[in-house]
Amino acid sequence: MSVAVLKQLVTPLSYLRITSARHEKLWVDLLYPAAAAAIVTLVWARWPEAMPFRGGDGLLSGVGSFMQVLVGFYVAGLAAVATFPRKSLDQDMVGIQFKGKPLPRRQFLSYMFGYLALVSLAMLVAHLLRAVPTAVLSNISDPVGFHLAKGAFVFVYQFMFWQMILITLLGIHFLAYRIHVD
């Protein structure tokens, strides 16, 4: 596979290269999701029976069903933003840059919804392949290593989930409020 094709496949990750002057994006993209993932992972590690990760009542099952809907929602949101005829969407955002240049609202939202579609698709695939981490973990004989690896899987999954939720809230803010403010 050529490098050009690989670049096209990872284009949605370009959202992570967008920067904000006051670092709001750092909080929404990394710090808040990491904090939420750490809290949920610690609660899960302390009381795994109260918050099962796998099984019919587990978080993985519930989130997997939710992802089936969200992938389509994000792709529809991307299509709507790309085609919505509103002049305010073509204005540059204050303090938001991509590769050192100002970024129009339309392009910011397109990157955002593209990234959200990718993350929700990745989480859906993780749901479909949920037996793989169990198979990998079953090869770890050290109890401490086993629990650390299991906690790492839970943390990464939770991080992706909370990042998706928080970026979605940011997208809703822009679609519900900011595009109407010139």
Side-chain angles (χ1 to χ4, degrees):
M1 192 178 297
S2 75
V3 174
V5 172
L6 285 175
K7 280 185 175 182
Q8 291 173 354
L9 294 176
V10 298
T11 295
L13 294 175
S14 295
Y15 168 79
L16 296 174
R17 296 176 63 195
I18 297 171
T19 58
S20 58
R22 296 187 322 215
H23 308 293
E24 303 96 337
K25 208 166 151 318
L26 175 69
W27 285 92
V28 171
D29 292 350
L30 297 174
L31 300 177
Y32 287 149
I39 290 167
V40 171
T41 302
L42 290 172
V43 168
W44 167 81
R46 176 68 177 99
W47 299 286
E49 65 282 342
M51 189 175 62
F53 193 69
R54 296 201 53 204
D57 294 336
L59 180 71
L60 201 58
S61 178
V63 171
S65 301
F66 187 48
M67 289 308 114
Q68 292 174 9
V69 173
L70 282 182
V71 172
F73 171 77
Y74 292 137
V75 171
L78 177 58
V81 165
T83 60
F84 192 65
R86 181 133 182 119
K87 289 197 183 282
S88 64
L89 281 175
D90 296 320
Q91 295 175 350
D92 288 341
M93 295 179 65
V94 177
I96 302 291
Q97 294 188 336
F98 182 70
K99 296 181 180 179
K101 297 178 184 171
L103 193 64
R105 291 177 182 157
R106 184 181 310 274
Q107 194 171 4
F108 175 78
L109 289 167
S110 293
Y111 279 130
M112 177 188 291
F113 280 110
Y115 180 72
L116 289 168
L118 176 71
V119 170
S120 62
L121 188 59
M123 291 185 71
L124 181 59
V125 169
H127 171 72
L128 296 173
L129 301 175
R130 63 190 173 272
V132 172
T134 302
V136 170
L137 290 172
S138 68
N139 293 321
I140 300 174
S141 59
D142 175 37
V144 173
F146 173 82
H147 289 294
L148 287 174
K150 194 172 182 181
F153 277 118
V154 171
F155 177 82
V156 168
Y157 189 83
Q158 284 293 317
F159 178 82
M160 290 173 64
F161 174 76
W162 287 106
Q163 185 187 55
M164 186 185 63
I165 294 296
L166 291 166
I167 294 172
T168 298
L169 291 175
L170 182 63
I172 291 170
H173 164 74
F174 274 97
L175 291 176
Y177 172 71
R178 289 298 306 168
I179 65 168
H180 302 291
V181 177
D182 290 332

